[in-house]
Amino acid sequence: MVDTRDKKVLELIKRITCGERRALSQAITFSESTRKDHRDIAKGVLSKLNNNNDKTVRIAVTGSPGVGKSTFIESFGLDLINKGLNVAVLAVDPSSVSSGGSILGDKTRMELLSKERRAYIRPSPTKGSLGGTNLRTQEAIILCEAAGFDVILIETVGVGQSETMASQMVDVFCLLLGPSGGDELQGVKRGITEISDLILVNKCDGQLKNIAETTRAEYSKALQFFRRREIDAPSYPKVLTISSIEKSGLRDTWKEIKNLITWRKQSGMFFKIREEQKLTWFHREITNCINLRIENSEKILKKKKELEKKIRKGLTLPLNAAEKLALEIIR
């Protein structure tokens, strides 16, 4: 006999796989919710969906605020739709530290793309999650793939050098840069540039065109001093110039993405990357489950508050207190 929850799960799966946008949005909302009944439905849906869809392309787009991520994603997304592809955009907005709220204005910034029948834009708050993504972005990717989207674009918060979590969820990691006089090369030393597959110098138009070309050349030279990763195809990572306004460089960007994915599939790296991403997801969920157990246990919360008082008074070190609480959790 099928219980009520299972009926909801099966009905939601049916609607999602039929491409119903409202069902997809509802499933992502359940996934992001902290309510147990919502999370149970989300886990029921996800456990029955295919999370090994290697036909889709997952792309992260990161870069500092103001570099033009939303404009690029809209132009790039429209170009992909013109190629006959279905495009989903998972846009992550920073949450307020004080109120916890988020503007979630990505649909406004991508007005043309949001009107397309073959496009889906889902803004989500970070809710305190670090790394430029939402805690449930990985789940949203699987739900979008089940709904029939060929390309999943993840627009990160744009916090700079720390957005490595997004790279642990996608097939191709794109770093968007603005034209500069060379000072930005200080940021090429380490950090986010090391994990980028494509570096896109945006705003290569008008008076900034020559500066953008110079920036591309400087970054191309700098990348020669980086240690090659096992997952890097020959001649990758690459630096390209693009103009989101003039729509230039978008076809080359898609061509390079496809070339890189083809090489990784032929070499077996594509599947190795996705396997490692599942393990990373698993490890992240362990931490999340431990945090939830602390929050939902009066006994553990009481012990936590006692330890916090001792830390404030200097009676114990934070590391010792953490070990004691950990022992309390695993009992």
Side-chain angles (χ1 to χ4, degrees), residues 123-140:
S124 296
T126 57
K127 292 185 178 180
S129 179
L130 300 177
T133 61
N134 178 287
L135 183 63
R136 301 300 173 192
T137 300
Q138 187 88 51
E139 297 176 14

Side-chain angles (χ1 to χ4, degrees), residues 46 57 59 93 171 176 187 206 216 233 239 250 279 291 312 315 321:
L46 289 162
V57 180
I59 305 167
D93 274 358
D171 305 315
L176 217 62
R216 183 201 62 76
V239 188
L250 301 182
L279 292 179
N291 289 333
R312 288 177 185 274
L315 299 176

Side-chain angles (χ1 to χ4, degrees), residues 16-31:
I16 291 169
T17 53
C18 286
E20 187 180 321
R21 303 299 173 82
R22 184 175 294 180
L24 174 58
S25 295
Q26 187 178 22
I28 295 176
T29 298
F30 284 158
S31 171

